[in-house]
Amino acid sequence: MKKKIQAEFYTNKSYFYFGTLIALLSMLPQLFFSPNSTHTTYLLITLVLLIMIPKFSKILFSIFIIFINLSNILIGHIALHWGYALADIKPRIEVAFLSPIYETKEYMTHYIDYRDYALVFFSIFVLFLLFKFLRHFTHSYKVFRIIGLGVFVSILLAVTFYINPVREFEPFSVPCEVCSVMDDKKKIDQIMQKREEYISHLKILKANKKHQIYDKVIVVMGESANKYHMSLYGYKFPTTPFLDSLRQSRYLYVFNAIAPTNQTRYSLPIDLTEANVHYYENRYFHSCSILTNFKANDYETYWISNQGRVGKNDSSISSMAYEANLSFFANLNYLEAKTDEVLLDYLNKLQTNPGKEMYLVHIMGSHSDYVNRYNTETALFKNAKNIVEEYDNSIHYSDYILSQIFERFKHEKLLLIYLSDHGENINLENNGHGFLPPFKDEYTVPFVIYSNVKNPRLDELYKDNKKGYFNLENFNYIVQYLSGITNHKNLSFSHDVMAVEPSNIFNFDELEFYN
């Protein structure tokens, strides 16, 4: 038997070495990006299995090699651009499925670079080797065929006994994660409908009208605004001339705050409902947004957004939007996103209402690709030379949008609030949000409040901010408290923030800045 095995090995030596080389090259990228020793061990076991497969089945070997090389491109892209601290790309797949067409297009333009091309070419090279292997290499295995199949089945059974590799470990979990996301999308529609029904039966007690001193309450929700790129917060370039001018008056309050998470799809529900960093899902599904709270207190409510939506009930943001008396989305999956000026046009078309109104204005702000977020004529840097200047131009443009909203309502008893869903990492080499592990820059957001009516509660809030930065996970309480529709400010000074999805909680103070 020993002589037969030796004879088979030497007879098929080229076949063995070439198949092993293809298996090793296929697993190399994922071994390089592997986030922990447990996952590395699993990948090494997979490598052994791959080496065994061609001994008994070329077809099965080809299927595995093609699948792994395709997954290398996806996992490698995430690892290179966003971090791969956990072997779980499901949140990234969810974002892709819920993104409108223009956002997907801009993402591919902005975040696909030479490293991705290198991964693609590497995978093509490996698949070329596989083609050569299938066409030019044959074997005469008999004993090795049985040994290979036996080892393959034994290892597979042993691994499956302890874990479910298809569902728990990448790359083989990727198809299951895609199916899971698609299944989740179907469930979300049912869940959101139940949330809508729950809200419709909520009984909200009206507040005492003597505390309600504003006729117009406007919350402008920015996008990807990093306060350290705002001159209002000490930045070296005059990116916020309008807010800077308001600061000269006694009406503008500038706060120190952090965003609760680095993803829009979680930050907006946390900002606007009773959900928070540690208790997201259940509290979101069983609470209304501030739109319903204001509506119950006789405010006409508006959700005005320059961001895309997928459908009425298939995302947490859309669900909140339809709590308003009137909702408007400027970008409905168009190939090209409009600048935020489109919201000004819409506001100007609305009839003047002498009664109480509450607006939630969700701007495109500084969402990448930054160069598409401003008009060149009004830009701070007319010929932006790099991505930092493009980002600064987007901040400057958001400041202009705020000035125009202010002009429309400045003669009313006005409460105007500006904050951002999350921050942004800005660097010449790389930028964005949603990294894992995250950076401080993804949470350092502006939080400014203008009131042309004397409000002791606002002065009190400003004093509270001296004790430490606010976590905007309780922003919904703050805006209701300042508006007088509740007497509970319920501030959060928590240092805990969410990254990418609810299961990832970090202490903000322990994070590093991106630069």
Side-chain angles (χ1 to χ4, degrees), residues 121 123 144 231 243 287 289 348 369 388 448 472 489 495 514:
F121 286 129
S123 294
F144 257 95
S231 51
L243 289 175
S287 68
S289 76
N348 290 332
D369 200 352
V388 176
V448 297
L472 293 176
K489 54 185 172 181
H495 297 188
Y514 188 68

Side-chain angles (χ1 to χ4, degrees), residues 2 7 20 24 47 63 71 117 142 184 252 262 271 367 403 468 491-492 495 514:
K2 183 179 179 182
T20 301
L24 181 59
L47 174 60
I63 292 170
S71 66
Y117 295 132
K142 291 181 180 178
D184 287 347
L252 188 73
N262 61 354
D271 286 340
H367 194 297
S403 73
L491 300 174
S492 172
H495 297 188
Y514 188 68

